[in-house]
Amino acid sequence: MSARSGVLFDVDGTLVDTTYIHTICWAQALAEAGFHPPMARVHRAVGMGADLLVGHVLGADLDPSVVQSITDGHDGRFEQWYDDVVPLPGARSLLAHCAGRGMAVVLASSSSAKDLDAMRRALGADAFVTAATSSQDAEQSKPSPDILAAAIDQAGLDPDRTVAVGDSVWDAEAASSIGVEFVGVESGGYSRAELQDAGAVHVGADPLALLAAFARTPLARLVG
Amino acid sequence: MSARSGVLFDVDGTLVDTTYIHTICWAQALAEAGFHPPMARVHRAVGMGADLLVGHVLGADLDPSVVQSITDGHDGRFEQWYDDVVPLPGARSLLAHCAGRGMAVVLASSSSAKDLDAMRRALGADAFVTAATSSQDAEQSKPSPDILAAAIDQAGLDPDRTVAVGDSVWDAEAASSIGVEFVGVESGGYSRAELQDAGAVHVGADPLALLAAFARTPLARLVG
């Protein structure tokens, strides 16, 4: 089959409103282990792989068992929030619009398979999704591009006709490092300037804003 | 007495790490009332007065009883977090440093008196504090400058030798509208560019960063 055009969507903070929940869950797990980094610093680390986040936030190499305990603390807390996860405005409609225009819609998440399942249930847009990745699909998490490369591979995409959409500078860095154009949304709480500085060629407030501006975004060149 | 130099410190997100807690509490209270605005939008509204926040976030005039019910929902939830409130890095040391250099240290908060008490307990810096305001001290909340004007009045400050420190664009707007120089901290999760765009003449990551850069901040001109 010939390679097709597609959109790689990050999920957390891009399609579902989970970034602030993750921030609180990480902050609580860190506090339980005796660490109190500013939550704004934790917030800005959400979107990088969970395996990298603790070391990044604390700026220190910790005993792997401590990191594991903090990660488990986050994961257990986040599960308690599954029923509170809601789609971001326009998320389903944007996926439907892309799929309806012939693009492959790929969920390029580095979340755990369990978290991703919960977020997909909240999103309720599986009918429009061609493929999806989770943390199991790549050796290295974001900002490494492994997840995006796996997503491109799984969906048989042409990288030159692929755009990545995400809410974090880690998404932007991952896209940039394999030459995929990046579109940002502010719904994860990173500001427009932060996303632009990280390489975003277009930034919208949320998926609904991307849909409303569709013709002016890089997504429009993928149609047909 | 002759008017003295002083620093007006916002408290939430500036001295104690509460912005993300407020964000989650507001999001939960809004969800309970059937509203699901993106939490990033809620986050960016924290720091404006609670009386203005709901209308700003939802972009609509609601029945006052609905607004009150959402506000009560937030307030009740936030109280549950009192024991988890921690000072931001360097917060106590920065207040001690300012007080030790002869400046009046004024807490210019628009929080409720009850929340402010809890935050002051967490901060543990009352020995360095000259005066403090709460929502009871002003007719209009931030971004109105009423709170800052009340703080200047209470502490007998010379506005020309007064600097305001805060984490939100609402703090910056309040300071700007009465001609008080504004210094920002990123610990509330607003980015450097957002604070600069709102008028900050200096931005640090958190209170510790302001202390480390003290001589290069507008605070240094208040010494002595």
Side-chain angles (χ1 to χ4, degrees):
Chain A
M1 94 184 170
S2 64
R4 62 186 293 202
S5 68
V7 195
L8 311 180
F9 284 99
D10 170 60
V11 180
D12 268 308
T14 301
L15 298 174
V16 295
D17 202 359
T18 47
T19 301
Y20 290 81
I21 301 174
H22 280 300
T23 301
I24 286 286
C25 292
W26 280 115
Q28 290 179 312
L30 285 158
E32 192 174 51
F35 300 103
H36 297 281
M39 289 196 216
R41 182 164 170 78
V42 176
H43 174 205
R44 290 313 195 282
V46 171
M48 73 190 322
D51 53 324
L52 302 175
L53 185 142
V54 175
H56 176 83
V57 165
L58 298 178
D61 279 333
L62 296 176
D63 186 286
S65 70
V66 175
V67 173
Q68 189 59 53
S69 156
I70 295 169
T71 303
D72 291 346
H74 161 272
D75 295 354
R77 284 175 173 83
F78 187 70
E79 284 178 25
Q80 305 300 314
W81 285 85
Y82 279 173
D83 290 342
D84 298 293
V85 173
V86 293
L88 282 157
R92 276 187 212 124
S93 305
L94 179 61
L95 300 193
H97 188 81
C98 290
R101 296 304 176 284
M103 308 168 199
V105 168
V106 185
L107 305 183
S109 173
S110 54
S111 299
S112 70
K114 190 173 177 185
D115 285 0
L116 183 61
D117 280 347
M119 295 191 287
R120 291 181 72 162
R121 281 196 301 276
L123 190 54
D126 278 350
F128 312 117
V129 172
T130 301
T133 64
S134 71
S135 58
Q136 297 165 348
D137 295 296
E139 284 281 317
Q140 297 198 306
S141 62
K142 295 173 189 173
S144 156
D146 286 15
I147 287 286
L148 299 189
I152 287 171
D153 193 48
Q154 273 190 35
L157 300 185
D158 174 356
D160 292 337
R161 295 179 60 231
T162 295
V163 171
V165 178
D167 69 302
S168 78
V169 299
W170 317 112
D171 295 321
E173 286 183 22
S176 163
S177 69
I178 53 167
V180 165
E181 211 163 23
F182 179 73
V183 169
V185 284
E186 294 171 279
S187 42
Y190 287 82
S191 67
R192 174 175 298 268
E194 288 171 292
L195 295 168
Q196 286 170 336
D197 288 350
V201 294
H202 180 99
V203 178
D206 52 27
L208 190 61
L210 294 188
L211 187 58
F214 197 84
R216 300 194 309 277
T217 73
L219 298 168
R221 75 174 171 85
L222 306 178
V223 172
Chain B
M1 97 186 167
S2 65
R4 61 186 295 206
S5 68
V7 194
L8 311 180
F9 284 99
D10 170 61
V11 181
D12 268 308
T14 301
L15 297 175
V16 295
D17 202 359
T18 47
T19 302
Y20 289 82
I21 301 174
H22 281 301
T23 301
I24 286 284
C25 292
W26 280 115
Q28 289 180 313
L30 286 158
E32 191 173 54
F35 300 102
H36 297 279
M39 289 195 215
R41 182 163 171 78
V42 176
H43 173 206
R44 289 314 195 281
V46 172
M48 73 189 324
D51 53 324
L52 301 175
L53 184 142
V54 174
H56 175 84
V57 165
L58 298 178
D61 279 333
L62 296 176
D63 186 287
S65 71
V66 175
V67 174
Q68 191 58 53
S69 155
I70 294 169
T71 303
D72 291 345
H74 161 272
D75 295 354
R77 284 175 174 83
F78 187 70
E79 285 179 25
Q80 304 302 313
W81 286 85
Y82 279 172
D83 289 343
D84 299 292
V85 173
V86 293
L88 282 157
R92 278 187 211 125
S93 305
L94 179 62
L95 300 192
H97 188 81
C98 290
R101 297 303 175 286
M103 308 168 198
V105 168
V106 186
L107 305 182
S109 174
S110 54
S111 299
S112 71
K114 190 172 177 186
D115 284 0
L116 183 60
D117 281 347
M119 293 190 289
R120 291 180 72 159
R121 281 196 300 277
L123 191 55
D126 278 351
F128 313 117
V129 172
T130 302
T133 65
S134 71
S135 57
Q136 296 164 350
D137 295 296
E139 284 281 316
Q140 297 198 305
S141 62
K142 295 174 189 170
S144 157
D146 286 14
I147 288 286
L148 299 189
I152 287 171
D153 194 48
Q154 274 190 34
L157 300 186
D158 175 356
D160 291 337
R161 294 178 59 233
T162 295
V163 171
V165 178
D167 69 302
S168 79
V169 299
W170 317 113
D171 296 319
E173 287 184 21
S176 163
S177 69
I178 53 168
V180 165
E181 210 164 23
F182 179 73
V183 169
V185 284
E186 295 171 279
S187 42
Y190 286 82
S191 66
R192 173 175 299 268
E194 289 170 292
L195 295 167
Q196 287 170 336
D197 289 350
V201 294
H202 180 98
V203 178
D206 52 28
L208 189 62
L210 294 188
L211 187 58
F214 197 83
R216 301 194 309 276
T217 73
L219 299 167
R221 76 173 170 83
L222 307 178
V223 173

